[in-house]
Amino acid sequence: MWKYIIRRLILIVPTVFLSGSLVFFMLRVLPGDIVSTLTSEGGATQESKEKLREELGLNDPMVVQYGRWIWGTVNGNLGYSHYQDRFVTQIVKDKIEATLTLAIFAMVFSLAIAFPMGIISAVRRGSWWDQGIRIFTALSLAVPSFWLGILLIIFASRAFNWSKPVVYTSFFSDPGSNMAQLFLPIIATGITSAAILSRLVRSMMLEVLREDYVRTARAKGLREFLVVMRHTIRNASIPVLTMAGYHFGAILSGVVVIENVFSIPGLGQQILVSIFARDYDMVVGIVVVLTVILAAWILVIDLLYSVVDPRIRYS
């Protein structure tokens, strides 16, 4: 087990550098640079702009800039944001808590909704419960998360006189206030994943319910509740966990929009601002951090396989 974990942790390193390298070179294709942003209000001559580019190292060959980024990343330095005049690591530390809190609770919300809906839909196949859940999941898949977020804001403001908070409250300082602030963003972010996962739970449950050992358990006189809880859910959960690993990445990418809709000061909002500002170091640094988080999440999902199914062993 420990050898497997160590090997997977080592594989995170090339994954991070590959994703960071792709973003590094893709950003250089975009027109403009941080100097254009910093001097956008006018008054700067072409000579002063070129001098600033020289000071920031933007005139260096691409290979030199890439080598400088690799060396800094290896030493734990994700770069410097000239747009905000702060180190990237400091900005990431300030904003990562909001993004992780939103993403993790959105994933928990998705699973908490998906499993009950999928189980009920499979056990009551063909009933009104099944039809209603399938209609709900179809509507959830058709509605974009940002549009749902806007609808939730309008509904909450008119029905409950709710308004978006001006100051974000950390989960660790005040969990209650934090959940009150993130309640609607969590729904908007996780509802699509919940719909997809619930359909997967339904299909896997229907497949497992047709297995011989399930029929044997029923023939032995076990109640339907025990048959479902003991023999069906666990065996149907492996594909759902696999899909949950993928959807956590989708949720992380979705927070870019949701954080802007709900004014949450996280990495998603920050990366959008940095892209428009051509703040290269900031964008690459955020991508590297998100890649590490996603790789760690996939590792956790893989380790959960052995918890759900004891037959799975890592060596």
Side-chain angles (χ1 to χ4, degrees):
M1 172 70 78
W2 287 109
K3 291 182 179 179
Y4 174 80
I5 296 175
I6 293 173
R7 186 166 63 248
R8 288 291 301 272
L9 291 175
I10 293 175
L11 288 175
I12 292 178
V13 177
T15 303
V16 169
F17 276 98
L18 178 61
S19 62
S21 299
L22 288 174
V23 176
F24 178 90
F25 288 109
M26 289 173 62
L27 287 173
R28 266 61 182 181
V29 179
L30 297 176
D33 53 23
I34 188 64
V35 173
S36 302
T37 303
L38 295 176
T39 59
S40 59
E41 295 184 0
T45 62
Q46 189 63 32
E47 293 181 357
S48 61
K49 291 181 180 180
E50 288 299 326
K51 183 178 179 181
L52 183 57
R53 288 192 178 94
E54 190 69 30
E55 293 176 355
L56 299 179
L58 298 178
N59 290 335
D60 295 338
M62 190 70 66
V63 177
V64 176
Q65 296 184 43
Y66 181 64
R68 189 162 54 233
W69 172 75
I70 291 180
W71 177 253
T73 304
V74 169
N75 289 275
N77 180 15
L78 296 178
Y80 191 82
S81 172
H82 298 283
Y83 183 69
Q84 300 191 43
D85 197 21
R86 295 177 62 195
F87 284 101
V88 173
T89 305
Q90 296 174 344
I91 300 174
V92 169
K93 286 181 179 179
D94 292 340
K95 296 181 177 294
I96 193 172
E97 185 269 336
T99 298
L100 278 181
T101 303
L102 175 58
I104 291 174
F105 279 102
M107 190 73 254
V108 172
F109 168 78
S110 300
L111 294 174
I113 295 296
F115 271 99
M117 288 198 308
I119 293 170
I120 294 173
S121 184
V123 174
R124 301 291 184 89
R125 182 183 181 184
S127 65
W128 286 106
W129 281 98
D130 184 26
Q131 297 299 327
I133 290 174
R134 293 173 70 181
I135 292 173
F136 172 77
T137 55
L139 291 175
S140 300
L141 291 173
V143 177
S145 60
F146 70 90
W147 189 65
L148 177 60
I150 295 174
L151 289 181
L152 290 174
I153 291 175
I154 295 173
F155 173 76
S157 61
R158 293 188 175 182
F160 304 103
N161 198 24
W162 178 86
S163 61
K164 292 188 294 184
V166 178
V167 179
Y168 175 78
T169 303
S170 172
F171 177 81
F172 298 102
S173 61
D174 191 347
S177 298
N178 180 262
M179 286 295 98
Q181 292 179 355
L182 295 183
F183 179 71
L184 296 181
I186 287 172
I187 295 176
T189 305
I191 195 68
T192 301
S193 296
I196 296 174
L197 292 175
S198 68
R199 292 202 164 195
L200 180 60
V201 171
R202 179 183 184 273
S203 62
M204 295 307 304
M205 287 286 296
L206 290 175
E207 182 178 338
V208 174
L209 285 172
R210 290 191 291 264
E211 295 292 337
D212 292 337
Y213 63 85
V214 175
R215 286 196 291 267
T216 302
R218 286 170 173 166
K220 291 168 62 177
L222 286 179
R223 290 185 300 168
E224 187 67 17
F225 177 80
L226 294 178
V227 172
V228 172
M229 297 302 295
R230 290 184 180 179
H231 300 283
T232 309
I233 294 179
R234 175 171 292 188
N235 291 288
S237 297
I238 297 296
V240 180
L241 287 176
T242 303
M243 189 60 70
Y246 163 77
H247 275 281
F248 187 73
I251 287 174
L252 279 178
S253 62
V255 299
V256 174
V257 177
I258 294 299
E259 286 183 357
N260 280 275
V261 171
F262 288 92
S263 302
I264 300 173
L267 294 179
Q269 187 182 67
Q270 181 61 54
I271 195 172
L272 196 61
V273 172
S274 300
I275 290 173
F276 285 120
R278 301 296 188 267
D279 194 355
Y280 297 151
D281 287 353
M282 190 73 247
V283 176
V284 177
I286 292 176
V287 169
V288 167
V289 172
L290 293 180
T291 303
V292 173
I293 293 172
L294 183 57
W297 172 263
I298 294 175
L299 175 58
V300 171
I301 292 294
D302 289 344
L303 295 178
L304 284 177
Y305 290 159
S306 60
V307 177
V308 175
D309 191 345
R311 295 172 298 179
I312 298 177
R313 287 289 181 267
Y314 297 104
S315 57

